[in-house]
Each structure stands twice: as structure tokens, then as C-alpha cells.
Amino acid sequence: MIGRRAAPRHGSGRAGSRGPRPTRPAPRRDADPARRVAYDLLRAVEERDAYANLTLPGLLRERGLTGRDAALATELGYGTLRVTGTLDLILARCADRPLHTLDPEVRAALRLGAYQLLRTRVPPHAAVSATVDLVPRRATGFVNAVLRRVDRQDWDHWVDTVAPPDALGRLAVRYPHPRWIAAAFRNALGGDLARTEAALAADNARPETHLVARPGRIDRDQLAAEAGGVPGPWSPYAVRLPEGGDPGALAAIRDGRAGVQDEGSQLCALALARAPLDGPDRAWLDVCAGPGGKAALLGGLGADRDARVLAVEVAAHRARLVAATTRGLPVAVVRADGTRPPVRPGTLDRVLLDAPCTGLGALRRRPEARWRRRETDVPALAELQRALLRAAIGAARPGGVVAYVVCSPHPAETGEVVADVLADGTADPIDARSALPGVPDLGAGPAVQLWPHRHGTDAMFCALLRRRAR
Ligand SMILES: C[S@@+](CC[C@H](N)C(=O)[O-])C[C@H]1O[C@@H](n2cnc3c(N)ncnc32)[C@H](O)[C@@H]1O
């Protein structure tokens, strides 16, 4: 079991069974390296606000972990982070003091131990003793006792014990998400709880890595062959990698012929480039370009049509990333505020606004993000999104096309922003579905919402608008 993907132990009938385990705290010894990495990752995320997906590769490298050990560390670290909210509800029932009063090092160990007991097939005695090995001697008895209580029931029984009585609350505990996020998904899915369940479950599966074959630089089939992947089903530039593929090792990624980019993101850039347009088609604008994935795709597509892209980004370091990603393409990068883009109003043929957002559409890729985001973040983001969208429409020429894109299905960031801005009377919606031929399950239009559980992509939202003639 150790070293391969750990399957949930749902319905294992272990309620009440305690299984073999040490009868007193295990003797101190060095924790095994994979668990130590997972533990250090949890602590970095909680104590230093680190991003797990940026921290883990460095930890693995530093400790020399590869192969099965690296896979186990990833499974334990990312897995624990994804389900932390529910683990904490369970641990709160098993500890004789509030979790927030514990030392962070003890809290991290309890979460890691509870994850192994409830969500993997690691034998209980190994899960407990390996966890006890992680904590200072003074805490070993406490950790041992709490984990023994955790091990009295399996995951399903614990969910029944700690979940609130209403259906949405139960889903939010069973497929761990904060309740406000589960509610946002439900609202985006028309109130349908079965679909909400599928969407929440998909966030807890390991995401595939998607590559983009940069137009004119490498053929998609050639990239698929080099990467050992398969062509994506809808974007003519997408390659989907098998689990465990390491894109950083590919020559095509290192030399910029290809990049890592979710197929849903590619589809949103493609939708803008494909939208029907009368008149000139030479001047394109990317209002929020960093780190440059969509700007690079637009630059490659624009090169074929003699179009040039102006890429605007407010953050200096991200503007530098855009410049690096788009080197050699007809893309100019400017550091500026997209609410006041440095262009003559009413002159751009195509405008992409890939707005800053909660990122609720990419929770699969950022294991801790769901617990870090706050519902109170949403109104300020929505206000910025509205301001940016008004500026994007203002930059477009009469008849020009604007794509409003966010990596979120939250209605306050998607349809509500578009509806509010359309009420100004400056633009009209275009049916984005016709710019994504062959992609199933896009809903009633005119905007489209992609989903991990339907499309295997991030939950990208894309609305296409046409600037009205004055
Ligand atoms: C969702 S990301 C864009 C991703 C990018 N389109 C890509 O595909 O790589 C949003 C970007 O908007 C930038 N941003 C935030 N506020 C901005 C503003 N007022 N003007 C311009 N850029 C802004 C952020 O720094 C971030 O890089």
C-alpha cells in the first residue's frame, strides 16, 4: 500500500473496532522520510502561509525523495490538506481540549495521523506510531490517545457523527469543502444536489496535468508523443498527461515550445479568438495577463492572422513572467492597471479579461486553498471584476469582442458580474457555445461554465460580449 495511491476506506465496517496498535506511546525514533515531508508541508502551510504546490517540490528535492516515497509524501500531504476541515471536526470530538489551543506541531501531526487512519489503507498501528514519532516527547501520550479515539470509527461513520443534519451540510463534510463553497457550487448547478455532489467529489480527485502545444512551435501530436500523453478532446493544442507525469522534465516545456495550461483555460482563449468579427482583426488586448498562459496562446494564434497582443499586468513580477512566456511572439507587455488600460478607448478588436478571482474553479490543484479563501473575499473581487469588465468593454471598438473569463463557478463572480455590466447598455452577449464546437454539457448559454466533473478541466467561466456601436 505504501507508496501507491491510497484508496479511501469507505464502508470498511471498522466502526467500533480498534485494530492492533501500541498500548502505550511508541518509543522515539526518527519518523520515516515521506511522513516527515508531509508533516513539514502541513506545518509550512499553517505556520508560514505557504502554498503547498510551490513548497512540496522543494521539500522532496531537499530530502532526496523520489518514486514511491515522493508519491506517498504527496498523497499524505495533499490529501490531509484537502480534507482538513472535516478532520478538524472529527479531532475536536476526540481531543479533550479545543484544537486551536494546541501547538501547531501537534495539530499538524493529529491531522496527518487522522488522515492515514480514515482515508488510507495504512494499517492503524503504523499510522499511529509513525505519527507519534513526529511530535515532541511531551506530546506523544496525547497524540496517541487522540488517534486511538479517531480509530474507533471509519470515515463514513465519522461523517455521520459530525455532519450537520441538512443535505448540503452533509455533502460539505463528506467531500470536505467549506459550506459557503458547497453552496456556491450548488447555486451554480441550478440547485441540483446530485450534481453538487459530483462537483465536490471531483475537487478531491488528483487532477491531470494538461499541456498546451504553442501554435507554430510544436505540433500537438508530436507533443503528445514526446510527453507520453494523449491529445485533449477539444482544444487542438491540448495534451493530457497520465498521472505522475513530470512536465518540467520535458524538453518542449523547457525550451518554450509548450507550456503547462489547463485545457479549459485554452478553450477560453480560443473562444475569444474564434468569435465572429466583422472588420479589422489586428489589435488584441489581454487586460490581466500574468503569468501569461493565455497571452502566449493568443500571441501564437495572432501571429497567424497578423494580429498583435498588448498584454497588461499590474504586478511587476507577473509582468516579467508574461514577458518571459511570450518571448518571440507578437506580444507587447505593459505594467499597468487594467481598470485604466494604456490604450485609446474604443480601438481594440478583441479583448480578453481573465479577471482576478477566488480561484474556486481550481481547488483540485491547490489542496489548501478552499480552507484559506473566505466568503468575505467575494464582494471586493466582484467589484474589481465589474470595474475591469467595464474597462475592457471601453477598450473594445464598436463591434469588437470581449471575453470575460474567471476560474470560478461562483455566481457572484460569473453571471452576476456580466448581468450587472450588460445593464449599462454598452455591450451585448454572444453565444459562447458556438465558439466551442464539440464541447458537451455547456448549459443553456450564452455564457459557458466548464467543470472538473464534466470536462476534466478547471471550472472556467467564459462570457463573450460584443461592444455596441455608439
Ligand atoms: C487570473 S490571473 C490571469 C491569468 C492569465 N490570463 C494567464 O492565463 O496566465 C489574473 C491576473 O490579474 C492581475 N491583476 C489583478 N488586478 C489587476 C488590475 N487591476 N490590472 C491588471 N491586472 C490585474 C493579477 O496580478 C493576475 O496576474
Side-chain angles (χ1 to χ4, degrees), residues 441-461:
D441 290 327
L442 290 177
V448 299
Q449 178 68 65
L450 300 169
W451 286 97
H453 66 285
R454 287 179 178 160
H455 305 99
T457 63
D458 291 345
M460 303 296 299
F461 171 87

mmCIF file with all atom_site columns, all heavy atoms in Angstrom, residues 441-461:
data_model
loop_
_atom_site.group_PDB
_atom_site.id
_atom_site.type_symbol
_atom_site.label_atom_id
_atom_site.label_alt_id
_atom_site.label_comp_id
_atom_site.label_asym_id
_atom_site.label_entity_id
_atom_site.label_seq_id
_atom_site.pdbx_PDB_ins_code
_atom_site.Cartn_x
_atom_site.Cartn_y
_atom_site.Cartn_z
_atom_site.occupancy
_atom_site.B_iso_or_equiv
_atom_site.pdbx_formal_charge
_atom_site.auth_seq_id
_atom_site.auth_comp_id
_atom_site.auth_asym_id
_atom_site.auth_atom_id
_atom_site.pdbx_PDB_model_num
ATOM 1   N N   . ASP A 1 441 ? -22.195 19.560 -22.712 1.00 0.00 ? 441 ASP A N   1
ATOM 2   C CA  . ASP A 1 441 ? -22.646 19.994 -21.376 1.00 0.00 ? 441 ASP A CA  1
ATOM 3   C C   . ASP A 1 441 ? -22.261 21.426 -21.049 1.00 0.00 ? 441 ASP A C   1
ATOM 4   O O   . ASP A 1 441 ? -21.785 21.708 -19.956 1.00 0.00 ? 441 ASP A O   1
ATOM 5   C CB  . ASP A 1 441 ? -22.053 19.080 -20.280 1.00 0.00 ? 441 ASP A CB  1
ATOM 6   C CG  . ASP A 1 441 ? -22.657 17.706 -20.322 1.00 0.00 ? 441 ASP A CG  1
ATOM 7   O OD1 . ASP A 1 441 ? -23.843 17.591 -20.679 1.00 0.00 ? 441 ASP A OD1 1
ATOM 8   O OD2 . ASP A 1 441 ? -21.941 16.740 -19.984 1.00 0.00 ? 441 ASP A OD2 1
ATOM 9   N N   . LEU A 1 442 ? -22.487 22.339 -21.986 1.00 0.00 ? 442 LEU A N   1
ATOM 10  C CA  . LEU A 1 442 ? -22.117 23.727 -21.727 1.00 0.00 ? 442 LEU A CA  1
ATOM 11  C C   . LEU A 1 442 ? -23.273 24.545 -21.173 1.00 0.00 ? 442 LEU A C   1
ATOM 12  O O   . LEU A 1 442 ? -23.122 25.742 -20.938 1.00 0.00 ? 442 LEU A O   1
ATOM 13  C CB  . LEU A 1 442 ? -21.572 24.372 -23.018 1.00 0.00 ? 442 LEU A CB  1
ATOM 14  C CG  . LEU A 1 442 ? -20.198 23.848 -23.454 1.00 0.00 ? 442 LEU A CG  1
ATOM 15  C CD1 . LEU A 1 442 ? -19.767 24.494 -24.772 1.00 0.00 ? 442 LEU A CD1 1
ATOM 16  C CD2 . LEU A 1 442 ? -19.140 24.087 -22.380 1.00 0.00 ? 442 LEU A CD2 1
ATOM 17  N N   . GLY A 1 443 ? -24.421 23.913 -20.988 1.00 0.00 ? 443 GLY A N   1
ATOM 18  C CA  . GLY A 1 443 ? -25.542 24.617 -20.377 1.00 0.00 ? 443 GLY A CA  1
ATOM 19  C C   . GLY A 1 443 ? -26.351 25.395 -21.401 1.00 0.00 ? 443 GLY A C   1
ATOM 20  O O   . GLY A 1 443 ? -26.217 25.226 -22.614 1.00 0.00 ? 443 GLY A O   1
ATOM 21  N N   . ALA A 1 444 ? -27.196 26.289 -20.865 1.00 0.00 ? 444 ALA A N   1
ATOM 22  C CA  . ALA A 1 444 ? -28.198 26.964 -21.691 1.00 0.00 ? 444 ALA A CA  1
ATOM 23  C C   . ALA A 1 444 ? -27.658 28.200 -22.405 1.00 0.00 ? 444 ALA A C   1
ATOM 24  O O   . ALA A 1 444 ? -28.361 28.831 -23.181 1.00 0.00 ? 444 ALA A O   1
ATOM 25  C CB  . ALA A 1 444 ? -29.376 27.368 -20.804 1.00 0.00 ? 444 ALA A CB  1
ATOM 26  N N   . GLY A 1 445 ? -26.381 28.558 -22.149 1.00 0.00 ? 445 GLY A N   1
ATOM 27  C CA  . GLY A 1 445 ? -25.799 29.720 -22.795 1.00 0.00 ? 445 GLY A CA  1
ATOM 28  C C   . GLY A 1 445 ? -26.414 31.008 -22.261 1.00 0.00 ? 445 GLY A C   1
ATOM 29  O O   . GLY A 1 445 ? -27.253 30.967 -21.375 1.00 0.00 ? 445 GLY A O   1
ATOM 30  N N   . PRO A 1 446 ? -26.036 32.186 -22.774 1.00 0.00 ? 446 PRO A N   1
ATOM 31  C CA  . PRO A 1 446 ? -24.979 32.344 -23.774 1.00 0.00 ? 446 PRO A CA  1
ATOM 32  C C   . PRO A 1 446 ? -23.569 32.157 -23.201 1.00 0.00 ? 446 PRO A C   1
ATOM 33  O O   . PRO A 1 446 ? -22.654 31.857 -23.949 1.00 0.00 ? 446 PRO A O   1
ATOM 34  C CB  . PRO A 1 446 ? -25.179 33.780 -24.273 1.00 0.00 ? 446 PRO A CB  1
ATOM 35  C CG  . PRO A 1 446 ? -25.885 34.492 -23.162 1.00 0.00 ? 446 PRO A CG  1
ATOM 36  C CD  . PRO A 1 446 ? -26.718 33.477 -22.455 1.00 0.00 ? 446 PRO A CD  1
ATOM 37  N N   . ALA A 1 447 ? -23.391 32.332 -21.888 1.00 0.00 ? 447 ALA A N   1
ATOM 38  C CA  . ALA A 1 447 ? -22.058 32.105 -21.315 1.00 0.00 ? 447 ALA A CA  1
ATOM 39  C C   . ALA A 1 447 ? -21.855 30.599 -21.095 1.00 0.00 ? 447 ALA A C   1
ATOM 40  O O   . ALA A 1 447 ? -22.827 29.834 -21.094 1.00 0.00 ? 447 ALA A O   1
ATOM 41  C CB  . ALA A 1 447 ? -21.925 32.848 -19.988 1.00 0.00 ? 447 ALA A CB  1
ATOM 42  N N   . VAL A 1 448 ? -20.613 30.176 -20.909 1.00 0.00 ? 448 VAL A N   1
ATOM 43  C CA  . VAL A 1 448 ? -20.359 28.757 -20.652 1.00 0.00 ? 448 VAL A CA  1
ATOM 44  C C   . VAL A 1 448 ? -19.639 28.589 -19.319 1.00 0.00 ? 448 VAL A C   1
ATOM 45  O O   . VAL A 1 448 ? -18.857 29.451 -18.903 1.00 0.00 ? 448 VAL A O   1
ATOM 46  C CB  . VAL A 1 448 ? -19.527 28.084 -21.764 1.00 0.00 ? 448 VAL A CB  1
ATOM 47  C CG1 . VAL A 1 448 ? -20.247 28.156 -23.094 1.00 0.00 ? 448 VAL A CG1 1
ATOM 48  C CG2 . VAL A 1 448 ? -18.137 28.681 -21.875 1.00 0.00 ? 448 VAL A CG2 1
ATOM 49  N N   . GLN A 1 449 ? -19.929 27.476 -18.679 1.00 0.00 ? 449 GLN A N   1
ATOM 50  C CA  . GLN A 1 449 ? -19.263 27.109 -17.435 1.00 0.00 ? 449 GLN A CA  1
ATOM 51  C C   . GLN A 1 449 ? -18.706 25.705 -17.618 1.00 0.00 ? 449 GLN A C   1
ATOM 52  O O   . GLN A 1 449 ? -19.461 24.754 -17.857 1.00 0.00 ? 449 GLN A O   1
ATOM 53  C CB  . GLN A 1 449 ? -20.257 27.135 -16.265 1.00 0.00 ? 449 GLN A CB  1
ATOM 54  C CG  . GLN A 1 449 ? -19.672 26.716 -14.926 1.00 0.00 ? 449 GLN A CG  1
ATOM 55  C CD  . GLN A 1 449 ? -18.660 27.723 -14.387 1.00 0.00 ? 449 GLN A CD  1
ATOM 56  O OE1 . GLN A 1 449 ? -18.995 28.843 -14.078 1.00 0.00 ? 449 GLN A OE1 1
ATOM 57  N NE2 . GLN A 1 449 ? -17.396 27.306 -14.291 1.00 0.00 ? 449 GLN A NE2 1
ATOM 58  N N   . LEU A 1 450 ? -17.379 25.578 -17.539 1.00 0.00 ? 450 LEU A N   1
ATOM 59  C CA  . LEU A 1 450 ? -16.746 24.261 -17.568 1.00 0.00 ? 450 LEU A CA  1
ATOM 60  C C   . LEU A 1 450 ? -16.633 23.747 -16.136 1.00 0.00 ? 450 LEU A C   1
ATOM 61  O O   . LEU A 1 450 ? -16.618 24.529 -15.185 1.00 0.00 ? 450 LEU A O   1
ATOM 62  C CB  . LEU A 1 450 ? -15.357 24.353 -18.201 1.00 0.00 ? 450 LEU A CB  1
ATOM 63  C CG  . LEU A 1 450 ? -15.331 24.873 -19.644 1.00 0.00 ? 450 LEU A CG  1
ATOM 64  C CD1 . LEU A 1 450 ? -13.896 25.172 -20.079 1.00 0.00 ? 450 LEU A CD1 1
ATOM 65  C CD2 . LEU A 1 450 ? -15.979 23.868 -20.600 1.00 0.00 ? 450 LEU A CD2 1
ATOM 66  N N   . TRP A 1 451 ? -16.529 22.422 -15.995 1.00 0.00 ? 451 TRP A N   1
ATOM 67  C CA  . TRP A 1 451 ? -16.450 21.805 -14.655 1.00 0.00 ? 451 TRP A CA  1
ATOM 68  C C   . TRP A 1 451 ? -15.479 20.629 -14.661 1.00 0.00 ? 451 TRP A C   1
ATOM 69  O O   . TRP A 1 451 ? -15.460 19.861 -15.635 1.00 0.00 ? 451 TRP A O   1
ATOM 70  C CB  . TRP A 1 451 ? -17.818 21.258 -14.243 1.00 0.00 ? 451 TRP A CB  1
ATOM 71  C CG  . TRP A 1 451 ? -18.840 22.275 -13.848 1.00 0.00 ? 451 TRP A CG  1
ATOM 72  C CD1 . TRP A 1 451 ? -19.824 22.787 -14.636 1.00 0.00 ? 451 TRP A CD1 1
ATOM 73  C CD2 . TRP A 1 451 ? -18.996 22.891 -12.557 1.00 0.00 ? 451 TRP A CD2 1
ATOM 74  N NE1 . TRP A 1 451 ? -20.589 23.688 -13.922 1.00 0.00 ? 451 TRP A NE1 1
ATOM 75  C CE2 . TRP A 1 451 ? -20.101 23.764 -12.640 1.00 0.00 ? 451 TRP A CE2 1
ATOM 76  C CE3 . TRP A 1 451 ? -18.318 22.788 -11.347 1.00 0.00 ? 451 TRP A CE3 1
ATOM 77  C CZ2 . TRP A 1 451 ? -20.541 24.526 -11.561 1.00 0.00 ? 451 TRP A CZ2 1
ATOM 78  C CZ3 . TRP A 1 451 ? -18.751 23.546 -10.268 1.00 0.00 ? 451 TRP A CZ3 1
ATOM 79  C CH2 . TRP A 1 451 ? -19.846 24.406 -10.375 1.00 0.00 ? 451 TRP A CH2 1
ATOM 80  N N   . PRO A 1 452 ? -14.770 20.456 -13.538 1.00 0.00 ? 452 PRO A N   1
ATOM 81  C CA  . PRO A 1 452 ? -13.916 19.260 -13.427 1.00 0.00 ? 452 PRO A CA  1
ATOM 82  C C   . PRO A 1 452 ? -14.710 17.966 -13.602 1.00 0.00 ? 452 PRO A C   1
ATOM 83  O O   . PRO A 1 452 ? -14.251 17.045 -14.273 1.00 0.00 ? 452 PRO A O   1
ATOM 84  C CB  . PRO A 1 452 ? -13.334 19.360 -12.010 1.00 0.00 ? 452 PRO A CB  1
ATOM 85  C CG  . PRO A 1 452 ? -13.350 20.812 -11.687 1.00 0.00 ? 452 PRO A CG  1
ATOM 86  C CD  . PRO A 1 452 ? -14.572 21.374 -12.393 1.00 0.00 ? 452 PRO A CD  1
ATOM 87  N N   . HIS A 1 453 ? -15.906 17.884 -13.002 1.00 0.00 ? 453 HIS A N   1
ATOM 88  C CA  . HIS A 1 453 ? -16.630 16.606 -13.050 1.00 0.00 ? 453 HIS A CA  1
ATOM 89  C C   . HIS A 1 453 ? -17.254 16.350 -14.419 1.00 0.00 ? 453 HIS A C   1
ATOM 90  O O   . HIS A 1 453 ? -17.607 15.218 -14.726 1.00 0.00 ? 453 HIS A O   1
ATOM 91  C CB  . HIS A 1 453 ? -17.690 16.533 -11.946 1.00 0.00 ? 453 HIS A CB  1
ATOM 92  C CG  . HIS A 1 453 ? -18.823 17.505 -12.094 1.00 0.00 ? 453 HIS A CG  1
ATOM 93  N ND1 . HIS A 1 453 ? -18.705 18.840 -11.820 1.00 0.00 ? 453 HIS A ND1 1
ATOM 94  C CD2 . HIS A 1 453 ? -20.109 17.323 -12.479 1.00 0.00 ? 453 HIS A CD2 1
ATOM 95  C CE1 . HIS A 1 453 ? -19.863 19.436 -12.026 1.00 0.00 ? 453 HIS A CE1 1
ATOM 96  N NE2 . HIS A 1 453 ? -20.736 18.540 -12.423 1.00 0.00 ? 453 HIS A NE2 1
ATOM 97  N N   . ARG A 1 454 ? -17.387 17.393 -15.232 1.00 0.00 ? 454 ARG A N   1
ATOM 98  C CA  . ARG A 1 454 ? -17.966 17.185 -16.565 1.00 0.00 ? 454 ARG A CA  1
ATOM 99  C C   . ARG A 1 454 ? -16.908 17.153 -17.658 1.00 0.00 ? 454 ARG A C   1
ATOM 100 O O   . ARG A 1 454 ? -17.010 16.397 -18.611 1.00 0.00 ? 454 ARG A O   1
ATOM 101 C CB  . ARG A 1 454 ? -18.929 18.329 -16.903 1.00 0.00 ? 454 ARG A CB  1
ATOM 102 C CG  . ARG A 1 454 ? -20.212 18.261 -16.134 1.00 0.00 ? 454 ARG A CG  1
ATOM 103 C CD  . ARG A 1 454 ? -21.096 19.431 -16.518 1.00 0.00 ? 454 ARG A CD  1
ATOM 104 N NE  . ARG A 1 454 ? -22.357 19.340 -15.815 1.00 0.00 ? 454 ARG A NE  1
ATOM 105 C CZ  . ARG A 1 454 ? -23.172 20.361 -15.629 1.00 0.00 ? 454 ARG A CZ  1
ATOM 106 N NH1 . ARG A 1 454 ? -22.854 21.550 -16.112 1.00 0.00 ? 454 ARG A NH1 1
ATOM 107 N NH2 . ARG A 1 454 ? -24.303 20.204 -14.986 1.00 0.00 ? 454 ARG A NH2 1
ATOM 108 N N   . HIS A 1 455 ? -15.942 18.024 -17.529 1.00 0.00 ? 455 HIS A N   1
ATOM 109 C CA  . HIS A 1 455 ? -14.993 18.225 -18.629 1.00 0.00 ? 455 HIS A CA  1
ATOM 110 C C   . HIS A 1 455 ? -13.572 17.822 -18.285 1.00 0.00 ? 455 HIS A C   1
ATOM 111 O O   . HIS A 1 455 ? -12.714 17.818 -19.164 1.00 0.00 ? 455 HIS A O   1
ATOM 112 C CB  . HIS A 1 455 ? -15.024 19.700 -19.074 1.00 0.00 ? 455 HIS A CB  1
ATOM 113 C CG  . HIS A 1 455 ? -16.399 20.172 -19.438 1.00 0.00 ? 455 HIS A CG  1
ATOM 114 N ND1 . HIS A 1 455 ? -17.201 20.898 -18.588 1.00 0.00 ? 455 HIS A ND1 1
ATOM 115 C CD2 . HIS A 1 455 ? -17.134 19.972 -20.557 1.00 0.00 ? 455 HIS A CD2 1
ATOM 116 C CE1 . HIS A 1 455 ? -18.360 21.147 -19.165 1.00 0.00 ? 455 HIS A CE1 1
ATOM 117 N NE2 . HIS A 1 455 ? -18.358 20.589 -20.357 1.00 0.00 ? 455 HIS A NE2 1
ATOM 118 N N   . GLY A 1 456 ? -13.332 17.509 -17.014 1.00 0.00 ? 456 GLY A N   1
ATOM 119 C CA  . GLY A 1 456 ? -11.953 17.189 -16.612 1.00 0.00 ? 456 GLY A CA  1
ATOM 120 C C   . GLY A 1 456 ? -11.049 18.403 -16.679 1.00 0.00 ? 456 GLY A C   1
ATOM 121 O O   . GLY A 1 456 ? -9.824  18.291 -16.705 1.00 0.00 ? 456 GLY A O   1
ATOM 122 N N   . THR A 1 457 ? -11.644 19.591 -16.710 1.00 0.00 ? 457 THR A N   1
ATOM 123 C CA  . THR A 1 457 ? -10.876 20.849 -16.733 1.00 0.00 ? 457 THR A CA  1
ATOM 124 C C   . THR A 1 457 ? -11.130 21.597 -15.426 1.00 0.00 ? 457 THR A C   1
ATOM 125 O O   . THR A 1 457 ? -11.988 21.201 -14.628 1.00 0.00 ? 457 THR A O   1
ATOM 126 C CB  . THR A 1 457 ? -11.357 21.771 -17.877 1.00 0.00 ? 457 THR A CB  1
ATOM 127 O OG1 . THR A 1 457 ? -12.727 22.126 -17.614 1.00 0.00 ? 457 THR A OG1 1
ATOM 128 C CG2 . THR A 1 457 ? -11.267 21.072 -19.229 1.00 0.00 ? 457 THR A CG2 1
ATOM 129 N N   . ASP A 1 458 ? -10.422 22.688 -15.237 1.00 0.00 ? 458 ASP A N   1
ATOM 130 C CA  . ASP A 1 458 ? -10.796 23.582 -14.143 1.00 0.00 ? 458 ASP A CA  1
ATOM 131 C C   . ASP A 1 458 ? -12.186 24.154 -14.437 1.00 0.00 ? 458 ASP A C   1
ATOM 132 O O   . ASP A 1 458 ? -12.649 24.140 -15.583 1.00 0.00 ? 458 ASP A O   1
ATOM 133 C CB  . ASP A 1 458 ? -9.775  24.724 -14.033 1.00 0.00 ? 458 ASP A CB  1
ATOM 134 C CG  . ASP A 1 458 ? -8.417  24.217 -13.544 1.00 0.00 ? 458 ASP A CG  1
ATOM 135 O OD1 . ASP A 1 458 ? -8.359  23.087 -13.036 1.00 0.00 ? 458 ASP A OD1 1
ATOM 136 O OD2 . ASP A 1 458 ? -7.426  24.954 -13.688 1.00 0.00 ? 458 ASP A OD2 1
ATOM 137 N N   . ALA A 1 459 ? -12.830 24.668 -13.399 1.00 0.00 ? 459 ALA A N   1
ATOM 138 C CA  . ALA A 1 459 ? -14.190 25.210 -13.579 1.00 0.00 ? 459 ALA A CA  1
ATOM 139 C C   . ALA A 1 459 ? -14.083 26.644 -14.107 1.00 0.00 ? 459 ALA A C   1
ATOM 140 O O   . ALA A 1 459 ? -14.270 27.614 -13.373 1.00 0.00 ? 459 ALA A O   1
ATOM 141 C CB  . ALA A 1 459 ? -14.966 25.155 -12.269 1.00 0.00 ? 459 ALA A CB  1
ATOM 142 N N   . MET A 1 460 ? -13.775 26.765 -15.395 1.00 0.00 ? 460 MET A N   1
ATOM 143 C CA  . MET A 1 460 ? -13.615 28.077 -16.025 1.00 0.00 ? 460 MET A CA  1
ATOM 144 C C   . MET A 1 460 ? -14.974 28.573 -16.496 1.00 0.00 ? 460 MET A C   1
ATOM 145 O O   . MET A 1 460 ? -15.778 27.814 -17.044 1.00 0.00 ? 460 MET A O   1
ATOM 146 C CB  . MET A 1 460 ? -12.692 27.986 -17.247 1.00 0.00 ? 460 MET A CB  1
ATOM 147 C CG  . MET A 1 460 ? -11.312 27.434 -16.987 1.00 0.00 ? 460 MET A CG  1
ATOM 148 S SD  . MET A 1 460 ? -10.297 28.436 -15.899 1.00 0.00 ? 460 MET A SD  1
ATOM 149 C CE  . MET A 1 460 ? -10.190 29.975 -16.796 1.00 0.00 ? 460 MET A CE  1
ATOM 150 N N   . PHE A 1 461 ? -15.198 29.872 -16.319 1.00 0.00 ? 461 PHE A N   1
ATOM 151 C CA  . PHE A 1 461 ? -16.407 30.528 -16.824 1.00 0.00 ? 461 PHE A CA  1
ATOM 152 C C   . PHE A 1 461 ? -15.978 31.459 -17.950 1.00 0.00 ? 461 PHE A C   1
ATOM 153 O O   . PHE A 1 461 ? -14.960 32.169 -17.830 1.00 0.00 ? 461 PHE A O   1
ATOM 154 C CB  . PHE A 1 461 ? -17.061 31.339 -15.714 1.00 0.00 ? 461 PHE A CB  1
ATOM 155 C CG  . PHE A 1 461 ? -18.199 32.217 -16.176 1.00 0.00 ? 461 PHE A CG  1
ATOM 156 C CD1 . PHE A 1 461 ? -19.494 31.721 -16.248 1.00 0.00 ? 461 PHE A CD1 1
ATOM 157 C CD2 . PHE A 1 461 ? -17.968 33.548 -16.527 1.00 0.00 ? 461 PHE A CD2 1
ATOM 158 C CE1 . PHE A 1 461 ? -20.542 32.542 -16.671 1.00 0.00 ? 461 PHE A CE1 1
ATOM 159 C CE2 . PHE A 1 461 ? -19.012 34.363 -16.944 1.00 0.00 ? 461 PHE A CE2 1
ATOM 160 C CZ  . PHE A 1 461 ? -20.295 33.850 -17.017 1.00 0.00 ? 461 PHE A CZ  1
#
